[in-house]
Amino acid sequence: MAALRLGSLPPATLTAITVTKKCERFNGGVKVVGDGGGDNGFPPFLPKEVEKIKDPFARNLARRIKRLPVQIGCSESYIMSSCVQPLIQTDANPVVLLHCFDSSCLEWRCAYPLLEESGLEAWALDVLGWGFSDLGRLPSCNVASKRYHLHQLWKSYIKRPMVLVGPSLGAAVAIDFAVNYPEAVEKLVLINPSVYAEGTGNLAKLPKVVAYAGVSLLKTFPLRLYANLLAFNDIPLSKSVDWTNVGRLHCHMPWWKDATVNFMVSGGYNVVSQIKQVKQKTLIICGENDKIVSNQLAMRLLFELPNASMQRVPDSGHLTHVDKPRRVVKLISDFTRAK
């Protein structure tokens, strides 16, 4: 969901694991969950509501979501982490796709196939606390935990400097990660970046019962539909309804409410002081008709980042990578390959 104005190869220990149409295999006591399972080929861990989605791009990408074990803490502690893994590994550094606030890798349903067609090695990841990972034993979902989880996944599977792409609040996730782990990030792409909110503000001070009530409201179809109407320009109502179902699919995960409250009361992302510390070359992609994040904030970010350029996309709203995927993929591809 768009933020409202509220502010490789497996590691050596897993090399024997292969993912087939069977959903689970075991190696050394570590479970790997892959594609397939249902009559329509959806992974069995996805909510049953995935069957109601009509968008063919969303359905196709959902079939490719898998869970990889990411080590957290002690050597026997893993989080089965959801992502879309590339089919091939290339010589060039990979493109790693994050998503917006309270969303999932399905945001990249339209752009991901185009990135593959362009010859790029692309990963679409679910940020800890969102998406479709197995969080039955709920870990902390604060900023530090999200950063650590992403680094552990990168260290285990990606293992090369990456072009890290963050839309909306995902831009704050990307900046925070790039500043803390500069060796892991070659370049940044920030799409309609939401980076000037000072965390979750007063929401972090709410009593737990009020926080849970607010999060329950966040899940409701009417609110999500309204956010969807703000995020896109001139799409048919039927498509907006279907895309709303795509955008809230992860909310049906049994741990979603607890993880979202955990993030909210932790204070959220506040990266204002980190912006000038970014060393990586950065591309800002800005939808000219963004109704959620002001273009003026994108201009401010352009001047505050040490090494940045900006490209505007006409007739595009807040989720430019969804409504103008060919243009966004062309910009990412050109930027990734530029010396």
Side-chain angles (χ1 to χ4, degrees), residues 56-224:
F57 297 101
R59 293 175 68 87
N60 287 340
L61 196 62
R63 292 186 180 100
R64 289 187 56 182
I65 297 174
K66 62 180 63 175
R67 285 173 170 172
L68 300 175
V70 175
Q71 185 175 331
I72 300 294
C74 66
S75 60
E76 295 182 358
S77 179
Y78 290 84
I79 291 177
M80 298 305 297
S81 305
S82 50
C83 67
V84 178
Q85 202 172 8
L87 297 175
I88 60 171
Q89 183 176 354
T90 65
D91 292 333
N93 285 340
V95 174
V96 176
L97 310 168
L98 305 177
H99 54 72
C100 299
F101 165 74
D102 191 23
S103 186
S104 77
C105 58
L106 289 179
E107 263 182 34
W108 293 97
R109 57 192 178 271
C110 300
Y112 192 89
L114 300 174
L115 285 165
E116 288 192 318
E117 287 178 15
S118 72
L120 292 173
E121 178 185 336
W123 295 70
L125 307 183
D126 282 335
V127 177
L128 180 69
W130 297 313
F132 307 103
S133 298
D134 182 1
L135 301 183
R137 294 183 178 180
L138 187 71
S140 173
C141 293
N142 60 22
V143 169
S145 297
K146 292 179 189 291
R147 180 197 312 132
Y148 176 70
H149 175 264
L150 177 55
H151 184 254
Q152 288 296 97
L153 191 152
W154 172 82
K155 186 170 68 172
S156 297
Y157 296 97
I158 300 172
K159 301 180 181 179
R160 291 170 289 155
M162 56 187 170
V163 178
L164 189 58
V165 184
S168 193
L169 186 72
V173 179
I175 287 175
D176 174 78
F177 186 84
V179 169
N180 282 278
Y181 297 106
E183 72 282 359
V185 182
E186 178 194 18
K187 297 178 181 179
L188 288 174
V189 179
L190 310 178
I191 304 173
N192 297 313
S194 176
V195 298
Y196 288 108
E198 296 183 359
T200 54
N202 291 329
L203 296 176
K205 303 176 183 178
L206 292 175
K208 279 288 185 70
V209 64
V210 179
Y212 272 94
V215 167
S216 296
L217 179 63
L218 183 64
K219 180 181 178 179
T220 60
F221 185 87
L223 183 61
R224 295 270 172 169

Side-chain angles (χ1 to χ4, degrees), residues 321-333:
H321 53 302
V322 182
D323 63 14
K324 290 292 183 288
R326 291 192 179 277
R327 177 60 177 155
V328 169
V329 167
K330 178 68 163 57
L331 291 171
I332 293 175
S333 179

Side-chain angles (χ1 to χ4, degrees), residues 36-42 51 63:
D39 292 339
N40 289 315
F42 296 116
E51 301 282 357
R63 292 186 180 100

